[in-house]
Amino acid sequence: MAGIRRFDGQPVDELDLRAMMRVLAHRGPDGEGLVVRGPVGFAHTRLSIIDLAGSPQPMGTPGGRHLLTFNGEIFNYRELRRRSDHDFRTDGDTEVVLATVARHGPRGAGEFVGQFAFAHHDFSADRTWLVRDRVGVLPLYYYVDGEQLVFASEIKALLEVLGDKVRLDRDQVRGYLRSRAVHAPATLFAGIAKVPPGHVVEVSGRGEVVVTPYWRLPSPEDVLDCSPAEAVDLVEETLRSAVDASLVADVPVGAYLSGGVDSSLIVALADAARRRADSAEPVSTFSAEFGDPRFDETEYSTLVSEVLGTDHHRVLIRPEDFRGSWEHLTWHRDAPVSEPADIAVAQLATAARQHVKVVLSGEGSDELFAGYPKYRYASATALANRLPARARSTGARVLERALPANRAKLRIAVRALSAERRTRMEDWFAPFTDYEIDALLGTSHPRAARSLAHRDPIDLMARLDFDTWLPDNLLERGDRMSMASSLELRPPFLDHRLVELAYRLPSSVKVREGQTKWVLKQVARRHLPGRIVDRPKVGFRVPLDTWFRGELQELARDLLRGPGSFVESLMDPAVVAAILEDHARGRRDEEIRIWTLLSLEMWGRRFFVGSPATVG
């Protein structure tokens, strides 16, 4: 979806809207439409999932007061329809959204169960609202200046209208190096913002912008008084409801299946829903293989598929797939491709799209239920404060350098513990520490302090991950890599009802007796073989450490050290060279840092042609 609102009263140029639609065609190959009414123009490209023959967009109310363009799915649209006195003309969820916001305003989004982003214009009030779902599953970007508001589902569509108005936001490069993503509302493009999850952006006819939340996580003090057994029952019941809701569609729905607990449990519950509906069609499942025994989960995904009787498809990912698709996927991402797994996910999506239009995935489980290994060490971060800051930082640097190359996870922990308390909880996923970023950029820029007045370190860490890592990294990546193949991704763990429950559960049922994600694993034991539930967490990993010493070593050196390097125009070449050399010689495992720099390089070349003169 896309749109333009002019503040000078001049009519929107239809050609601009059509250019934006062309760029967004992969998000909606099944149809397109636009409406221009003087200074307001909305456009839409459609991926038909519900009410395949109806629900054309943009959609307006009969009297012409309200106009809507909407991306996503409202899973409870039938219930909302039954409760409404609106005279419906279509059978889909789009008109339910229109009727709800026409009656209740944009905060009517609080009625929706699903994933969505939409723009709503009220001609009588002369107001435009941009609204994004609670968790941030679907994207929405905008640009406002004295002349116009321009918005779209992807940044590249904005660039079609803004042209050379947009420059690199150098201040956000530091944030990218720290997080492999840029946190809302910022982006790497100066002037272009993203609507934060669970927020409404209101733009007046004079271009005044007000951003307000319509949803928040439960308060840290709002903890359920429940036994571990009761917590397991609550999670199972709510997750089953979330999976059932995510299957609402008029097209086939499949699922990713890595063989880990999260995806396997989603598939098991989807299969149970299929059986309750007396469907003879098995669930279609999809998994990736990398040809590396360290990350090969084929044994487990095959086991789950055989137990549940799914129609399983395996996709082999090779180093040459990275060379061939990296630049193309950078264009789709609108940002550096922040994780090596993204290219594998894109290959998986391409394969899945040959069979289904929608896939379920396991995103969100680790944030909701404390699944990452780092959660075991959350309490240790408080103990680190007993050491003087200088001694802690210096000692951690020495220890980190002394660790062998194969102790990557321990190195991450040591680096995070060396940070100041206000940043420590956010630094576990950081490819570069603040002092390393200072060395790369040749400048020092103190970080803004974030209030951490919170007694439970596990819950605090989970909330920080939910606010930043999840929407700005995991969900952005998932949306772009799936939509590159016109495939809709649905993460049932991020149903807001389950999210609210998870953040009210005591941490003692999440990390219990040293086991992460305890409560969810107890649910999984009711549906999956013990071999799946009890096996060590692998994660969706790509063997980049060996590839950067083999098939991709020359590519990395040529891009980062070659003539016209975008990264070297921003950073100290000697520091970049040292990172490449340390990895090539096996002194350190620098795969994530090399990937972070290479992705920035590919993005800079794609959007700024690698010339310092083009980046402001």
Side-chain angles (χ1 to χ4, degrees):
M1 66 177 191
I4 301 171
R5 165 68 164 104
R6 295 191 62 89
F7 305 133
D8 58 7
Q10 295 298 310
V12 169
D13 189 337
E14 185 176 308
L15 293 178
D16 284 339
L17 290 175
R18 293 197 178 278
M20 297 173 81
M21 285 196 298
R22 283 196 298 271
V23 172
L24 295 174
H26 56 281
R27 296 191 72 90
D30 298 330
E32 63 180 36
L34 63 83
V35 171
V36 174
R37 289 178 57 187
V40 177
F42 281 10
H44 188 79
T45 59
R46 188 179 186 206
L47 181 65
S48 301
I49 304 293
I50 294 174
D51 190 18
L52 304 186
S55 300
Q57 291 196 52
M59 183 178 288
T61 51
R65 174 176 173 176
H66 300 278
L67 184 65
L68 175 83
T69 180
F70 157 63
N71 174 214
E73 312 295 341
I74 306 303
F75 302 144
N76 64 332
Y77 77 98
R78 294 189 182 96
E79 175 191 345
L80 294 175
R81 185 186 179 102
R82 286 192 297 269
R83 286 163 34 191
S84 174
D85 59 4
H86 181 83
D87 184 16
F88 287 96
R89 298 163 291 160
T90 65
D91 296 324
D93 56 347
T94 299
E95 193 173 6
V96 171
V97 175
L98 176 63
T100 302
V101 297
R103 180 166 186 174
H104 301 291
R107 289 180 176 273
E111 298 288 314
F112 304 148
V113 175
Q115 53 194 61
F116 53 86
F118 64 84
H120 163 228
H121 185 80
D122 184 331
F123 286 91
S124 295
D126 195 22
R127 291 285 190 275
T128 305
W129 289 275
L130 308 178
V131 185
R132 194 173 174 204
D133 66 58
R134 298 169 181 86
V135 181
V137 178
L138 292 181
L140 186 51
Y141 299 87
Y142 66 99
Y143 173 95
V144 180
D145 61 16
E147 299 177 357
Q148 61 186 344
L149 159 71
V150 187
F151 68 86
S153 296
E154 297 183 5
I155 290 174
K156 65 182 70 67
L158 303 182
L159 302 182
E160 290 294 306
V161 176
L162 302 177
D164 60 6
K165 286 185 177 181
V166 178
R167 302 283 184 176
L168 170 70
D169 189 337
R170 286 178 176 266
D171 290 340
Q172 298 306 325
V173 172
R174 178 176 291 272
Y176 164 75
L177 292 174
R178 185 182 299 120
S179 306
R180 283 174 277 166
V182 177
H183 301 317
T187 70
L188 280 169
F189 295 89
I192 294 180
K194 51 185 165 184
V195 179
H199 280 68
V200 174
V201 175
E202 178 182 346
V203 185
S204 74
R206 296 193 299 270
E208 300 158 329
V209 178
V210 177
V211 183
T212 55
Y214 68 87
W215 179 86
R216 295 186 187 276
L217 285 177
S219 165
E221 287 73 37
D222 185 15
V223 180
L224 281 174
D225 181 13
C226 61
S227 69
E230 289 170 333
V232 174
D233 289 341
L234 283 170
V235 170
E236 180 178 38
E237 177 185 354
T238 311
L239 179 58
R240 180 185 289 113
S241 176
V243 172
D244 288 350
S246 69
L247 293 171
V248 170
D250 296 331
V251 296
V253 178
Y256 289 148
L257 177 60
S258 70
V261 172
D262 303 337
S263 63
S264 299
L265 181 54
I266 293 296
V267 172
L269 293 176
D271 182 67
R274 175 191 67 81
R275 287 185 276 107
R276 290 197 305 272
D278 292 325
S279 172
E281 290 295 321
V283 178
S284 294
T285 54
F286 307 89
S287 67
E289 301 176 21
F290 300 103
D292 188 316
R294 295 173 301 165
F295 312 124
D296 190 355
E297 300 184 276
T298 303
E299 172 189 353
Y300 302 103
S301 60
T302 300
L303 171 62
V304 175
S305 174
E306 290 175 350
V307 168
L308 299 177
T310 74
D311 179 19
H312 194 55
H313 307 266
R314 293 156 53 177
V315 181
L316 179 63
I317 311 298
R318 303 160 299 176
E320 51 264 38
D321 296 325
F322 280 62
R323 292 194 190 94
S325 58
W326 204 340
E327 182 179 0
H328 171 66
L329 292 175
T330 297
W331 180 82
H332 276 285
R333 180 70 172 85
D334 287 331
V337 178
S338 53
E339 297 292 330
D342 289 1
I343 292 179
V345 170
Q347 296 286 103
L348 199 57
T350 299
R353 186 62 175 84
Q354 298 174 24
H355 304 271
V356 298
K357 264 190 172 181
V358 178
V359 289
L360 310 186
S361 70
E363 277 91 355
S365 169
D366 288 319
E367 290 76 15
L368 268 60
F369 299 107
Y372 296 120
K374 69 176 185 173
Y375 286 103
R376 294 194 190 99
Y377 308 109
S379 298
T381 62
L383 299 177
N385 283 337
R386 297 181 181 180
L387 292 173
R390 179 172 296 181
R392 183 177 64 242
S393 178
T394 302
R397 294 187 202 187
V398 172
L399 177 57
E400 183 200 355
R401 296 291 299 185
L403 288 171
N406 62 353
R407 300 306 300 272
K409 289 183 179 179
L410 182 56
R411 180 176 293 112
I412 291 172
V414 169
R415 292 167 69 230
L417 289 171
S418 72
E420 294 298 321
R421 182 178 186 275
R422 69 177 184 271
T423 61
R424 189 178 304 132
M425 288 290 189
E426 300 171 285
D427 281 353
W428 287 85
F429 290 133
F432 296 97
T433 62
D434 283 339
Y435 63 82
E436 290 167 336
I437 295 172
D438 290 345
L440 275 168
L441 299 180
T443 60
S444 178
H445 186 72
R447 292 166 70 172
R450 179 192 288 253
S451 174
L452 298 182
H454 198 300
R455 295 179 180 178
D456 184 339
I458 292 173
D459 187 57
L460 171 59
M461 185 177 279
R463 287 170 185 270
L464 290 173
D465 284 346
F466 184 88
D467 286 344
T468 55
W469 172 261
L470 179 67
D472 297 318
N473 192 312
L474 286 179
L475 295 180
E476 271 193 29
R477 295 159 44 207
D479 173 82
R480 298 310 188 285
M481 296 303 102
S482 58
M483 275 297 171
S485 294
S486 305
L487 181 75
E488 180 171 281
L489 187 71
R490 295 182 180 178
F493 282 113
L494 296 178
D495 183 302
H496 78 275
R497 299 166 298 180
L498 183 59
V499 171
E500 291 172 350
L501 169 63
Y503 283 95
R504 294 187 65 210
L505 291 176
S507 292
S508 60
V509 302
K510 297 180 181 180
V511 179
R512 191 172 182 83
E513 298 176 350
Q515 183 182 66
T516 58
K517 211 154 46 181
W518 180 86
V519 65
L520 190 70
K521 289 179 179 178
Q522 303 317 303
V523 174
R525 292 184 195 283
R526 299 174 177 179
H527 302 273
L528 297 167
R531 286 178 59 196
I532 298 298
V533 180
D534 295 323
R535 74 184 186 91
K537 182 178 179 62
V538 175
F540 198 56
R541 290 285 310 280
V542 177
L544 272 186
D545 55 345
T546 56
W547 290 359
F548 279 148
R549 293 188 184 104
E551 296 96 326
L552 299 180
Q553 181 177 349
E554 186 175 346
L555 173 67
R557 185 182 297 111
D558 288 347
L559 287 174
L560 294 176
R561 302 286 292 133
S565 167
F566 179 79
V567 162
E568 285 204 351
S569 74
L570 302 173
M571 301 177 195
D572 187 331
V575 178
V576 175
I579 292 171
L580 292 170
E581 185 68 11
D582 280 351
H583 188 82
R585 294 185 176 277
R587 290 194 288 259
R588 292 160 63 88
D589 181 358
E590 299 285 26
E591 60 172 295
I592 293 302
R593 296 194 232 203
I594 293 173
W595 178 269
T596 301
L597 295 176
L598 274 174
S599 293
L600 182 63
E601 177 70 35
M602 295 295 285
W603 175 82
R605 292 183 182 216
R606 182 64 183 80
F607 288 97
F608 293 104
V609 202
S611 168
T614 68
V615 299

